[in-house]
Amino acid sequence: MKIALLSYSTKPRGGVVHTLALAEALAAAGEDVTVWTLGRGGDSGFFRPVDPAVRLRIVPFPDGPAQETVGERVLRSIATLRDAFAPTSSAYDVVHAQDCISANAVGRCVRTVHHIDHFTTPELAACHERAIVDPAAHVCVSKSVADELADGWGIKATVIPNGVAYERFAMTDPAARARWKDRLGRYVLAVGGIEPRKGSLDLLAAYALLRTAHPEVKLVVAGGETLFDYRDYRARWETTAAELGVEPIVLGPVPDDDLPALVASSAAFAFPSTKEGFGLAAMEALAAGVPLVVRDLPVLREVFGSTAGFGDTPETLAAELGSALTTENPARRAAGRELAAQHTWHRAAERHIAFYHCLR
């Protein structure tokens, strides 16, 4: 089959990580795969090298005017990707969009709904709705999200969980881990940046509580590339940190080669997201053997079960993080590694191929 996978960015966000890993696994299975995306800010390549068996089509997307709103930027993104992709669409047996921008750009397609957002900006709300209603077929990475689609729109989706690059996170270089520990000391890590969906303010409050018993432990936040403008939320986060008397270390986007050792060197991994479809970064932490604490959401209960600690308030998150820092739990650690090892991209690709064949 000739397969087009479409994303909206070259930056390291969960959906982009998913797109590239799935494309490589599909190509390894013998499929003809092309990844289409927008090259924001002059990008001509992805955040990491991509297997040459996967064709790449990166559509230039120059910065807009300084006064451009998020809604206007989203609409321009859709139009730019649509104009580039439309002349080639008939060349593919399967057109598979991985987000609402690419789904709006191509119309009738396969759509992976990673999670369901609730936007208040009119342009975003309309784009989100079209990206759910218009596709011809739907994939979800967890049953919880598939149930949301069924309950909210009467849409039946096929559930195909994410894979995880298990060996990459389970077998990190000891010297690389030592460098992170020398630089940061003992730390709780969060990956995904500072934004409302990542529960960053709750994590900050939890960390302030945690420090009363563990004053030596730092909070480290990595990642943060996003299409949206979270400057107001970030300013609120910084003001709150000052009021709480804490000084988190904000690394921003971390080079892809450095991420596994950063994760593996952490004393605990915090994942307090308010909305998720699977939790790929948290699954990577389990692969690395790191104690995991997540927000108590149905989807995260479904995905992680007994391998994680759960909290739904700053107080309960702090209590679970404190337990992770002080209590060795080899059985949970082993169960987490075993769970992560089961989620292979090879298996995800096989299930996608079978799904594609059913559509033809």
Side-chain angles (χ1 to χ4, degrees), residues 116-118 128-129 132-133 147-156:
I116 295 173
D117 285 304
H118 299 282
H128 183 266
E129 184 69 15
I132 289 177
V133 173
D147 288 346
E148 285 188 77
L149 275 185
D151 293 343
W153 288 269
I155 291 172
K156 182 178 180 180

Side-chain angles (χ1 to χ4, degrees), residues 27-168:
E31 305 299 338
D32 185 338
V33 185
T34 303
V35 172
W36 286 76
T37 195
L38 294 171
R40 303 179 183 278
D43 279 359
S44 58
F46 280 95
F47 67 94
R48 68 163 177 85
V50 180
D51 190 318
V54 176
R55 294 185 178 90
L56 301 180
R57 297 291 183 268
I58 298 174
V59 180
F61 186 77
D63 293 337
Q67 68 273 20
E68 184 177 51
T69 66
V70 171
E72 290 169 342
R73 186 161 61 252
V74 166
L75 294 178
R76 187 165 62 90
S77 299
I78 292 167
T80 301
L81 188 56
R82 178 191 296 126
D83 290 347
F85 182 76
T88 74
S89 59
S90 61
Y92 298 103
D93 300 305
V94 176
V95 175
H96 189 164
Q98 295 290 332
D99 52 78
C100 60
I101 287 176
S102 59
N104 273 266
V106 299
R108 297 287 286 177
C109 61
V110 175
R111 164 81 200 281
T112 293
V113 181
H114 292 273
H115 66 272
I116 295 173
D117 285 304
H118 299 282
F119 294 116
T120 56
T121 302
E123 298 96 330
L124 293 178
C127 288
H128 183 266
E129 184 69 15
R130 287 195 300 270
I132 289 177
V133 173
D134 289 352
H138 300 74
V139 174
C140 292
V141 293
S142 60
K143 181 179 180 298
S144 295
V145 178
D147 288 346
E148 285 188 77
L149 275 185
D151 293 343
W153 288 269
I155 291 172
K156 182 178 180 180
T158 296
V159 177
I160 305 177
N162 269 314
V164 64
Y166 178 81
E167 291 82 3
R168 185 167 179 261

